[in-house]
Amino acid sequence: MGKLTTHVLDTMSGFPGAEIKVELFRLNGEQCEKVKTVTTNADGRTDGPILEGAAFKAGKYQLVFHVADYFTQKGVTLDNVPFLDDVVIRFGLNDEQAHYHVPLLVSPYSFSTYRGS
């Protein structure tokens, strides 16, 4: 069975992004259905797959990483309206037998992602 995992790296400090709230949504046209909310652990990863088993279905998804809260908790001074508040990554899952890994590399002013393994 397929699975979806993620991790966060704080590129400002060079450390894992611990205790970041991450939400997963399944998209169906204009509708957005929340599937799960997780928090990253001390290693910047979730304790298990975000999506797996019978819940893992092909389709369009969205991960929302609540990074402004994370940086504020780390003592980083952000603008009243942070440049990056929530980082949203939309992606497609096609192979229901595959492992999809969607990592986030983030600082208060930039982010990147890729399909990892």
Side-chain angles (χ1 to χ4, degrees):
M1 291 294 236
K3 65 182 176 178
L4 171 66
T5 57
T6 191
H7 78 272
V8 181
L9 177 63
D10 173 350
T11 58
M12 184 175 128
S13 69
F15 291 105
E19 298 183 27
I20 296 176
K21 178 178 161 184
V22 182
E23 296 174 299
L24 175 66
F25 295 87
R26 182 176 288 120
L27 305 174
N28 186 8
E30 295 296 315
Q31 295 182 350
C32 229
E33 171 194 353
K34 186 185 281 190
V35 176
K36 193 171 195 179
T37 301
V38 295
T39 302
T40 58
N41 60 25
D43 195 34
R45 299 176 182 276
T46 58
D47 288 332
I50 301 172
L51 193 62
E52 66 181 332
F56 189 93
K57 296 181 173 126
K60 190 171 181 179
Y61 290 83
Q62 173 176 293
L63 283 169
V64 180
F65 298 84
H66 296 265
V67 299
D69 293 342
Y70 164 79
F71 285 114
T72 299
Q73 290 172 358
K74 291 291 179 187
V76 177
T77 302
L78 302 176
D79 293 330
N80 287 338
V81 179
F83 182 73
L84 292 178
D85 189 354
D86 302 327
V87 172
V88 177
I89 301 172
R90 287 191 171 182
F91 56 95
L93 302 178
N94 291 289
D95 182 352
E96 294 181 353
Q97 302 303 312
H99 176 192
Y100 288 83
H101 185 68
V102 182
L104 176 68
L105 288 72
V106 67
S107 79
Y109 297 98
S110 69
F111 72 91
S112 65
T113 190
Y114 55 93
R115 180 174 174 192
S117 59

